Amino acid sequence: MSSRIKASSRIQAATFCKNEKVVYPGHGVAQINDIVDKQVAGNKACFYELKFLNKDVTILVPTHNVDSIGIRRLASSEHITDIFKTLMEPSKRISQETATNWNKRNKDYQCKLRTGDLKEICKIYRDLKNMSVYKELSFGEKALLQQTETLLAQEISLVQNMREEKAIECLRSLFDKAAYTRHNQVATL
C-alpha cells in the first residue's frame, strides 16, 4: 500500500502521509504510524493509525472521517507567531454572571477545544490566565488551563523545534509580559 493516500468522501478530505505529525482536536499531536486497510462489517475501509506523542495511546481513524473529526496538519511558523500576538491582546471582558457561571463558560470552551482551532485554544488559555490574576480558578478551570497549555506547547514545540518545557516557558512569559504591560497602562490612567 502506498505511504500516501487520498482520503475520499463527498467532500475532498485531507491527505496525510505515513510518519506525518497531525493534530487531533482536544487530544494533541499524533504521528501517523501507518495507513491500513481493514474489513469492517464486510466492507473494506482505510484507516490512519495515529500514535499520540504524549500519551501511550494509538487509535485508528477512518480516512474519510478526518475532516469531520477536525484532524489537521501542524500550524505554520507564521500561525505560531500570530498565536503569540493573540496572547499579548487583552481578554474580552467576561460579565460577572458569566464569570460565576462556570458551566456555561466550560460548555463554550469545550466546543472551541473540539474544533482544534489553535487560535481558539490560545484565546481560552489567555482568558483563563487573565482570570487567574483576579480570582482563584476552580478545579475545572485549572484543569482546562493545564489542558490548553499542554495542547499549545505540544504544537509550538514541534513547529518551532524546541523542547516542550521551553514552549511552556515562552507561553507563560508572553502572558506575564502582556499582563505587566496592561497593568502599567491602567496604572498611568
Side-chain angles (χ1 to χ4, degrees):
M1 162 151 240
S2 166
S3 65
R4 185 167 185 83
I5 193 162
K6 189 160 281 197
S8 61
S9 66
R10 229 170 2 132
I11 300 171
Q12 189 66 38
T15 302
F16 300 116
C17 300
K18 186 175 176 179
N19 299 321
E20 185 173 359
K21 290 179 179 72
V22 295
V23 178
Y24 192 107
H27 297 281
V29 180
Q31 180 170 316
I32 298 176
N33 280 349
D34 205 359
I35 302 168
V36 296
D37 288 321
K38 292 204 175 267
Q39 286 292 117
V40 178
N43 296 317
K44 185 178 175 182
C46 189
F47 295 86
Y48 291 118
E49 181 184 280
L50 301 180
K51 167 75 173 101
F52 288 94
L53 300 185
N54 290 349
K55 303 175 188 179
D56 191 23
V57 175
T58 301
I59 62 171
L60 292 176
V61 176
T63 56
H64 67 277
N65 282 358
V66 294
D67 286 339
S68 63
I69 293 169
I71 295 173
R72 62 173 174 78
R73 287 186 165 73
L74 292 174
S76 66
S77 291
E78 294 79 20
H79 196 190
I80 297 298
T81 300
D82 288 342
I83 292 306
F84 289 148
K85 288 176 185 173
T86 299
L87 280 176
M88 299 293 286
E89 295 170 358
S91 292
K92 68 173 189 172
R93 282 253 189 246
I94 297 175
S95 71
Q96 184 62 31
E97 178 186 329
T98 306
T100 57
N101 189 347
W102 165 240
N103 288 335
K104 183 176 170 39
R105 274 188 300 115
N106 187 44
K107 187 175 182 180
D108 183 45
Y109 289 154
Q110 293 301 326
C111 285
K112 290 177 180 180
L113 265 180
R114 281 192 296 275
T115 68
D117 183 323
L118 196 60
K119 192 153 192 153
E120 291 300 322
I121 294 168
C122 176
K123 288 177 183 177
I124 295 169
Y125 178 76
R126 180 198 63 202
D127 292 350
L128 288 171
K129 287 290 276 184
N130 281 328
M131 194 179 300
S132 72
V133 171
Y134 301 104
K135 76 174 198 90
E136 175 140 5
L137 297 180
S138 69
F139 177 79
E141 290 166 329
K142 287 177 185 174
L144 184 59
L145 178 63
Q146 179 64 45
Q147 181 184 10
T148 56
E149 184 175 76
T150 299
L151 293 171
L152 288 167
Q154 277 182 358
E155 194 160 355
I156 290 167
S157 68
L158 289 167
V159 173
Q160 300 291 345
N161 197 25
M162 64 175 69
R163 290 185 356 269
E164 195 168 320
E165 297 79 22
K166 181 70 175 164
I168 289 171
E169 264 179 50
C170 287
L171 284 168
R172 290 176 181 170
S173 71
L174 273 173
F175 176 80
D176 292 343
K177 284 179 194 172
Y180 178 77
T181 302
R182 285 190 295 275
H183 175 72
N184 282 344
Q185 288 172 342
V186 169
T188 58
L189 293 179

